[in-house]
């Protein structure tokens, strides 16, 4: 057996760095989180070549005292905890005390810092984990880190980095998440001399969403806010019209920390159940505040994964908030001639005012980019440190005269007129039926198309779920009973969910061996092929997770009621169409069928007249 020996400190530092510093974005994350913990109100991040040659992070936080600077670069040195019990109540973003040591072991680091009230600051240099110098210098309050030549002494790790553009993209994405999680801090991100992000720190999350994601998403948001036992939630969710094909637009933060959580992702997606098609994912920016004792952040070296001791309560609270927000708004999809989909047309004042805000923001950002472009491209590499534009100052202590409030996107919410409301119903004008499938309705200055099959599906689904919750289900007896022959797997699923099946009106008994007799089915399914329907239903229950609640199991079963819905190409009478619209009024979510397809789409009179060239 080879001889066992202790590793030297340099090797230990580089191994530890591998856990904390995976790529340039890891360095930025750790140092920006330190700036936030230092109570900074403004943070500037500047990078070159994807962060491999230069990362400069400047903040106006509390700074580091001169005698504390070398200690800050020791392994496991931290100002956040003193003993193991503190881990249970930690509220800061960084606390392990490995970040500065790890970064310094694989790069050339220069630190300039000054505490509030000090006459002078300090300049500290450390390369590859070895101290170079510590000297007194003039400096503004706050801290600036320069990290140069990342992984210069570990070429194998540098070889596995992606292109500078890709690495810069990782940093940009991370800066966007941090800006969303701390709207009260002004963040500036500069990539190769170009300003890519600049937030005001005005605490308006909606403004930051507009800066990052653009006009279409900012105009299709719903605000959510709720207080629960042990935690609170606030933020914005997107209307179903801005769904995406992956989870990249699901952002959520725990006590100011951007994290990933299968529990929260499931709560978000279950909250959208019935409002969005399968394999589509919503847009969310949600901030969750909870007691530090209820969450374990010490799960993974990058602190991106958390464990919750109140996971079930958190799940139920998020599902409730999202569903409640979606049910409060009319979510009819507006179809513009030309193919693109958007939300219903906005009132005249919003058409005028909000584009003006967008234009002001666009011009402001163009000016900032132009100013940055005028600076010599190699200035960041020539200058040891740069203050001024990159150094945001703390707010002055003296009270300033109150300034007129600047209009922001958050100040505007559009009033809405709901098609599906008792007040609007007398004004509906049913024009007729198209292709024996779509009912055409005129209301105010809009034209609506209602898919009779999707509408009937949703009516039957919600009626079945209501009967399930209120235990008012009805059964229709079958004579003679239907005999099913089930495989072992199907038999296991039947026994597991038999109680839920019976609550909805099925009556199923063992008939000996692998055979089962079905003597009753839900009344609304009578007349359909019950044998085929039940086998398909049992098979679909195989996808139900162990963690799914009984209500979600019931939803899976109730979705089979869609089989009884009136199909397309079936002509309905006007009276039947009137009744269908009346039934839609009574639903919690009449806008999407159980599979997430839209029930109603609309088009404005304005768009139609544009198509006929009445308006140019």
């Amino acid at each position: 057996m080879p001889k066992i020996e202790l590793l030297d400190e340099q090797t230990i530092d580089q191994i530890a760095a591998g856990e904390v510093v995976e790529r340039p974005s890891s360095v930025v994350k750790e140092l920006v989180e330190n700036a936030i913990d230092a109570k900074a109100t403004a943070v500037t991040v500047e990078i070159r070549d994807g962060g491999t040659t230069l990362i400069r992070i400047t903040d106006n936080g509390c700074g580091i005292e001169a005698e504390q600077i070398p200690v800050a670069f020791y392994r496991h040195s931290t100002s956040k905890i003193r003993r193991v019990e503190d881990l249970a109540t930690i509220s800061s973003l960084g606390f392990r005390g490995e970040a500065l040591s790890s970064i310094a072991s694989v790069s050339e680091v220069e630190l300039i810092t000054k505490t509030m009230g000090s006459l002078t600051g300090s300049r500290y240099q450390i390369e590859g984990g070895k101290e170079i110098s510590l000297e007194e210098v003039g400096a503004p309050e706050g801290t600036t880190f320069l990290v140069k030549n990342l992984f210069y002494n570990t070429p194998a790790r540098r070889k596995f980095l992606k292109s500078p553009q890709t690495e810069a993209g990782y940093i940009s994405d991370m800066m966007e998440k941090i800006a969303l999680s701390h709207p009260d801090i002004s963040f500036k991100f500069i990539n190769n001399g170009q300003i890519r992000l600049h937030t005001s720190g005005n605490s308006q999350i909606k403004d930051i969403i507009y800066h990052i994601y653009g006009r279409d998403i900012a105009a299709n948001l719903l605000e959510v806010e709720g207080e629960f036992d042990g935690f609170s939630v606030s933020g914005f969710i997107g209307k179903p019209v801005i769904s995406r094909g992956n989870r990249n637009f699901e952002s959520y933060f725990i006590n100011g920390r951007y994290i990933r959580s299968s529990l929260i992702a499931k709560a978000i997606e279950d909250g959208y159940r019935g409002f969005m098609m399968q394999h589509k994912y919503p847009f969310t920016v949600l901030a969750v505040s909870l007691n530090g004792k209820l969450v374990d952040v010490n799960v993974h070296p990058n602190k991106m994964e958390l464990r919750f001791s109140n996971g079930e309560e958190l799940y139920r609270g998020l599902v409730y908030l999202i569903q409640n927000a979606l049910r409060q708004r009319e979510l009819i999809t507006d179809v513009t001639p030309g193919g693109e989909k958007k939300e219903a047309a906005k009132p005249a004042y919003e058409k005028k005012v909000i584009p003006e805000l967008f234009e002001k923001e666009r011009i402001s950002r163009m000016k900032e980019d132009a100013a940055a472009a005028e600076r010599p491209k190699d200035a960041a590499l020539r200058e040891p440190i740069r203050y001024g534009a990159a150094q945001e100052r703390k707010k002055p202590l003296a009270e300033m005269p109150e300034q007129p409030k600047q209009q922001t996107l958050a100040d505007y919410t559009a009033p809405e007129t709901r098609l599906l409301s008792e007040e609007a119903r007398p004004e509906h004008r049913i024009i007729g039926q198209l292709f024996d499938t779509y009912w055409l309705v005129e209301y105010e200055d809009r034209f609506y198309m209602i898919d009779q099959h999707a509408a009937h599906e949703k009516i039957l689904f919600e009626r079945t779920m209501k009967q399930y919750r209120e235990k008012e289900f009805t059964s229709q007896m079958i004579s003679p009973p239907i005999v099913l022959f089930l495989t072992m797997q199907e038999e296991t699923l039947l026994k597991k969910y038999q109680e839920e099946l019976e609550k909805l009106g099925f009556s199923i008994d063992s008939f000996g061996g692998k055979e089962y007799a079905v003597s009753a089915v839900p009344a609304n399914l009578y007349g359909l092929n019950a044998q085929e329907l039940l086998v398909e239903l049992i098979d679909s229950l195989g996808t139900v997770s162990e963690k799914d609640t009984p209500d979600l199991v019931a939803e899976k079963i109730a979705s089979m009621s869609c089989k009884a819905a009136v199909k397309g190409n079936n002509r309905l009478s006007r009276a039947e169409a009137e009744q269908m619209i009346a039934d839609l009024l009574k639903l919690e979510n009449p806008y999407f069928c159980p599979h997430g397809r839209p029930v109603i789409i609309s088009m404005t009179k304005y768009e139609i007249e544009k198509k006929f060239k009445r308006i140019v």
Side-chain angles (χ1 to χ4, degrees), residues 31 51 58 90 106 125 136 140 218 286 407 477 482 488 550 612:
L31 297 182
T58 306
I90 192 71
V106 291
Q125 288 182 289
E136 188 176 344
L286 297 174
Q407 293 175 330
M477 301 303 294
I482 297 171
M488 183 179 293
F612 281 101

Side-chain angles (χ1 to χ4, degrees), residues 267-279:
I268 290 171
E269 288 152 27
D270 286 349
Y272 273 86
R273 188 185 298 271
F275 291 89
M276 192 168 287
M277 293 186 68
Q278 290 184 350
H279 310 302

Side-chain angles (χ1 to χ4, degrees), residues 302-339:
N302 63 17
K303 301 185 288 292
M304 285 285 288
E305 300 172 12
L306 284 75
R307 282 196 294 256
F308 304 97
S309 60
N310 63 337
E312 185 174 347
E313 293 85 353
L314 182 60
Y315 168 84
R316 292 183 182 276
L318 286 171
V319 170
Y320 166 79
L321 271 183
I322 292 169
Q323 289 185 342
N324 189 56
L326 292 171
R327 287 168 180 159
Q328 297 302 313
R329 293 293 300 268
E330 185 159 81
L331 300 172
I332 297 175
T333 302
D334 181 42
V335 179
T336 303

Side-chain angles (χ1 to χ4, degrees), residues 532-559:
E532 179 183 328
L533 181 67
L534 196 53
V535 170
E536 184 179 344
L537 173 57
I538 292 171
D539 288 344
S540 72
L541 291 173
T543 63
V544 174
S545 167
E546 292 288 340
K547 297 180 180 179
D548 284 339
T549 63
D551 271 4
L552 292 179
V553 175
E555 284 185 18
K556 177 79 75 171
I557 297 171
S559 67

